[in-house]
Every structure is written in structure tokens, then in C-alpha cells.
DNA sequence: CGGGGTGTTGAACATATTCAACAACTGTGG
DNA sequence: CCACAGTTGTTGAATATGTTCAACACCCCG
């Protein structure tokens, strides 16, 4: 059990998310300093960003925002992991992405969020008022530049996911998914074998356009063919990475 | 037959795509002036953009660039329509998007295009050397800002497409597709009924994660239920738009 | 006319889904 | 510390949606 309040309500208001002016440079110790938008800024600029930064924490399973809610804030994940999803009226769900430390979230169309965001694990974020951040864009074009670059990367990923959802078999989807987790872990500098799989089978299914059962069956088959080893604690050992890579690419 | 050279090779080199310095302000007459990146610029800035602009034409069916090719140029479509796609080694294809006048294309990961681009209809484009355009970004931050905004919109669309590919039925996909075409036509100020459908059934299938046959059957069913009227010349009348909208949203 | 591409329709089939039961694991309270 | 309840994950059997394979219709152009 984490020491974080585990009620299912977002702990955003005043108490937790006040401007971080008291702490002169929390970013210095930030584990994702080099990955996030912040990497575009130097010391002075970082201070300016930090002045409008509000730290926020979010316990596992709680919702940061719903699709269609007023998009007044944007966020940067510093620890934990989250999922973004869209719903159809009858409850069908598509997880459009998982968010890992260093990732930016809070994309909006106009003034509304276009997806919901929920914590997969206990998470910590930097929260920024959208209006304040965009004022900073005018001052530091490199910040906007960095954000454009991150959006481009997101778009590349989105296109890969379309290929996956539109054309790949269940086996290929699972292989791609495992490699994505592995790649992200590597970027974050955490151990990549076994792969840490923080999300449920149901989440995986909703991300890959499959049902829970198909995810489970496909993983079992990969285990039986000796490509992976399934541990009981949401960790997966990759026994034959090359096989996994060929599968993922549709060979 | 168009008067454009119909060989299956891109007509990009010198002859056609020289800097447009001779024509003092071709943008003034541009039909997509207000839709494209250019809308961020005023007269003087537009001149500067125009100085590095190279007009290009592309006949139907020809490839502008392949996935993985060196991404030295970016483009803005001014007329016609194009498709962007990714391939799996065995030939499975996912069309990740259709491109209409005013749209930007040429997204790259690093230095390589991440999708192929092919003309669905005879097309005309503004071509820019990536390096020159990014120098202009430093001078005119609003240009980059505009591009970020367009990327954001693309990302929103990409998320919607993931929901479609991962969770919608064939009928819902077709309905969503028709409404997308209708919406784009409206933005461009062209007649929206009947909907002009420039792409083949096969292209539609590869965009929606379906086969040609399923696209055809589903359209036939929509026709039989009186929701649409299929004309023989790639035009589709929407008889019951409300029904189509409910279908698209999964109601 | 005749031919290639495009679109439609039918029948058999396959992959993944649905429905159902059960197993494993987690955390809780007695 | 164990029993129990709830959640998560696995497995099986029947089913469905969309695919595959095949034939044919259409239509624009030559």
C-alpha cells in the first residue's frame, strides 16, 4: 500500500498543487529532466517554468480528467504510469496510449480534452495552467519547438498504432506491445528483462483492439512456444527477442 | 485524361520545382491560403516563405515519396488529394490518412519519412526544403506555432482513427468515413451532397482496416436501408445524415 | 467490340469474440 | 494466521463478424 490517499478522487486542488515557488529548483533532481519538455530550457528559463509549475500526485486507478472536460491544464508525468482512452456510448473503450515518465499529456482540440486520463500506477505530475504555459511559449520559442518535436513523435507512434490496429494479427499486436514496453523501459533506464507490465490484461486488450481473453490466450501461446516466460506478478521475461521482433514486424 | 504527364514517376526535379521567385505573389490566388500553414503569416512573411517555395505537380497514382526515404522536403497540398500509407513485409497496407488541399505532409521521424505518399487524384503541392523551412521557423515563431496547432489537430484525428480501428464495427467505420469526407468537403467549401469519394474501395478498406469486399457489402447494406444512395461515379448521396451520425458514434 | 481495372455478390472459412466456468492471486477481517 | 471475497487471469466451447476465394457485372477507354 502506498502512503498516498487511495480514495478514487483526484487530489489536485490547492493543498497539493500550489505553485512550487518555495522549492528553488526541484527540477535539478527530476528523474525525467532530460526527457520531458523541460530539456529545451536552460537554468534561467527552467526557473521561469518552475514558477508556474504545480506538483500533483495521483493514486492508482483515479482519473486525472475525462474526455470532454474543460482543458485548463496540461501535465508532464514525472513518475508512475497512466493510460489515455476514449469511450463509445455502449462502453466500448479504446486506450489510445500509455503515458510514461517524461511524457506530456493534456492535448486538447480547442478547450476540451479529447481523451480521458487515468493513473495505471500511483503517479506524480507537473501541472501547468495552459494559459500560463502558452505565455511562456512566446518568451521561449524553444519550448514550443520542443513541444512540436514531441508531438511529431507522438504522431509517428499514432501511425504505427494505426497499422497495428488495422492490419496486424493478435500475435503481431502482442509482440509489438511487449517491444514497445521494452523500448520505453530502456529509454527510462530501468531494467528491460523481465519487462514490467503495469497494466491489466483488460487494458492491454483495449489498447490493442482485442479482448482480454485473446490477450491472455496469445500470451499463453507465446509462452508455450518459448518466446516469453510469464511470471505471476505482471512481469514478462523475453526469452527470444529476435522472434518477438520478427513477429511484431509481420515477418 | 488530364494534360499532366501521366507517367508513373514523380515530376519533381528542376523543370517543375524551381523557386517561385518569378511570380511575385502566387499565394494571393491560392485557394487554400487560409487553411494551410501560410495562414499564420502576413504579407511580408509570406513573401519570405514564397521565396523558398517550389511548386510541384503530381499525376494520379504516382508516388511522392516512399516510407523510409530521405525526408529532405515537406509539402503542402494545394489541390487534388493524396493518401499516406504504411506497409507490412507481406504487402498488408494501412492507409494512415488522406490528404486534402491545405494539409501539410512530410512528417518525418528523424531524417526519414515514416509513411509513403501517393496521389489519389492529380495533385499540386508547395514543396519546401526542410532545412530552409526550419530556418524560417526561427524567424517567424508563429509559423512553428501554426504547425504545432496543425500537428495537434492531426493527433486528435489519429486518436479518433484508433478508436475506429480498434473498436468500431464495419458499419460504424463506413459511417465515420463518409462523415469525415463530408466534413472535409465542407471545410474546403465544396458541395457536400453528394459526397465526392475520390478513392477506390480498396483504398477505403485499407484506411478502415477492412477488405474491399466488406467495404462494398457494407455500402450496399447502407444503400438498402435507405441511408445513402450509391451513384456509379464515386459519388454518394447522404439520404439520412442523422442516421449516419448515430451509426458513426456507435449509438 | 474487347480488355483491364473496379466494384459487387456468393459460399466457405478463419480469426477473434462471446459466454461461461474456473483458477490464481490480493487484500481483508475474523 | 487462515478463510473468504473480490479482482484478475486463464481456459474451453459455441458463435459471429469479417475474410478469403471465386465468379461475375460494370464501365470507362482503347
Amino acid at each position: 500500500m502506498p502512503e498516498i490517499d487511495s480514495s478514487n478522487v483526484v487530489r489536485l486542488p490547492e493543498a497539493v498543487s500550489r505553485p512550487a515557488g518555495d522549492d528553488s529548483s526541484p527540477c535539478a533532481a527530476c528523474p525525467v529532466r532530460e526527457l520531458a519538455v523541460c530539456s529545451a530550457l536552460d537554468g534561467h528559463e527552467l526557473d521561469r517554468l518552475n514558477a508556474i509549475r504545480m506538483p500533483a500526485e495521483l493514486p492508482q486507478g483515479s482519473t486525472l480528467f475525462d474526455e470532454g472536460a474543460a482543458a485548463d491544464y496540461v501535465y508532464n508525468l514525472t513518475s508512475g504510469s497512466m493510460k489515455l482512452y476514449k469511450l463509445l456510448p455502449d462502453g466500448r473503450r479504446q486506450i489510445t496510449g500509455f503515458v510514461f515518465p517524461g511524457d506530456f499529456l493534456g492535448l486538447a482540440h480547442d478547450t476540451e480534452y479529447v481523451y480521458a486520463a487515468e493513473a495505471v500506477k500511483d503517479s506524480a505530475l507537473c501541472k501547468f495552467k495552459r494559459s500560463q504555459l502558452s505565455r511562456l511559449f512566446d518568451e521561449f520559442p524553444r519550448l514550443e519547438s520542443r513541444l512540436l518535436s514531441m508531438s511529431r513523435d507522438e504522431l509517428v507512434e499514432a501511425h504505427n498504432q494505426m497499422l497495428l490496429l488495422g492490419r496486424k494479427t493478435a500475435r503481431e499486436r502482442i509482440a509489438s506491445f511487449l517491444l514497445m514496453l521494452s523500448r520505453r523501459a530502456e529509454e527510462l533506464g530501468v531494467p528491460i528483462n523481465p519487462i514490467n507490465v503495469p497494466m491489466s490484461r483488460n487494458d492491454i486488450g483495449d489498447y490493442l483492439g482485442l479482448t482480454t481473453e485473446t490477450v491472455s490466450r496469445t500470451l499463453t501461446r507465446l509462452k508455450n512456444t518459448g518466446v516469453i516466460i510469464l511470471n505471476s506478478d505482471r512481469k514478462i521475461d523475453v526469452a527470444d527477442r529476435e522472434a518477438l521482433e520478427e513477429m511484431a514486424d509481420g515477418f
Side-chain angles (χ1 to χ4, degrees), chain A:
Chain A
M1 248 292 140
E3 63 269 76
I4 294 178
D5 176 356
S6 68
S7 75
N8 208 36
V9 178
V10 186
R11 268 182 80 198
L12 286 181
E14 299 11 90
V16 173
S17 41
R18 84 250 171 239
D22 47 356
D23 186 342
S24 60
S25 183
C27 302
C30 178
V32 294
R33 168 86 179 74
E34 294 306 321
L35 297 171
V37 267
C38 332
S39 71
L41 303 178
D42 64 25
H44 163 66
E45 294 165 339
L46 206 55
D47 288 345
R48 294 291 307 279
L49 181 63
N50 197 43
I52 63 167
R53 167 183 166 269
M54 294 173 275
E57 294 196 338
L58 201 63
Q60 177 170 355
S62 64
T63 300
L64 183 59
F65 50 76
D66 283 313
E67 181 177 355
D72 298 328
Y73 297 95
V74 295
Y75 303 86
N76 212 77
L77 189 66
T78 55
S79 78
S81 48
M82 304 195 59
K83 59 190 175 198
L84 309 177
Y85 60 88
K86 296 173 76 83
L87 293 172
L88 287 172
D90 63 0
R92 278 173 288 170
R93 183 179 67 153
Q94 179 66 36
I95 293 183
T96 56
F98 291 105
V99 179
F100 297 103
D103 289 346
F104 188 82
L105 73 154
L107 172 82
H109 196 51
D110 268 316
T111 54
E112 292 181 0
Y113 293 117
V114 294
Y115 46 63
E118 183 184 322
V120 170
K121 304 286 282 180
D122 294 335
S123 296
L125 309 101
C126 296
K127 176 183 177 183
F128 303 97
K129 214 174 176 80
R130 177 183 298 278
S131 54
Q132 291 182 318
L133 192 62
S134 73
R135 235 169 288 140
L136 225 51
F137 282 171
D138 298 334
E139 280 188 67
F140 311 132
R142 285 164 65 207
L143 192 60
E144 186 158 40
S145 201
R146 171 76 182 134
L147 203 61
L148 177 58
S149 155
M150 289 176 81
S151 296
R152 229 195 315 104
D153 288 348
E154 260 189 82
L155 209 38
V156 170
E157 273 316 298
H159 284 131
N160 285 330
Q161 193 69 358
M162 285 186 223
L163 175 62
L164 179 149
L165 291 170
R167 290 301 179 214
K168 288 189 184 177
T169 64
R171 210 182 62 148
E172 291 163 352
R173 292 178 200 211
I174 293 287
S176 303
F177 174 69
L178 292 176
L179 290 170
M180 179 276 283
L181 286 184
S182 175
R183 189 174 51 72
R184 294 305 315 257
E186 199 170 5
E187 283 172 19
L188 289 170
V190 304
I192 63 161
N193 224 6
I195 299 175
N196 189 29
V197 184
M199 61 292 289
S200 70
R201 297 291 189 263
N202 194 25
D203 283 350
I204 298 172
D206 283 352
Y207 178 60
L208 299 177
L210 301 170
T211 57
T212 310
E213 294 93 326
T214 300
V215 171
S216 184
R217 276 187 248 275
T218 306
L219 283 170
T220 301
R221 258 171 238 141
L222 287 182
K223 182 192 71 179
N224 292 341
T225 55
V227 176
I228 58 172
I229 298 159
L230 288 176
N231 302 322
S232 54
D233 53 347
R234 292 195 175 174
K235 293 201 188 312
I236 296 179
D237 273 276
V238 178
D240 189 345
R241 185 169 233 273
E242 209 167 313
L244 215 53
E245 275 164 357
E246 290 201 346
M247 264 180 218
D249 293 340
F251 281 104

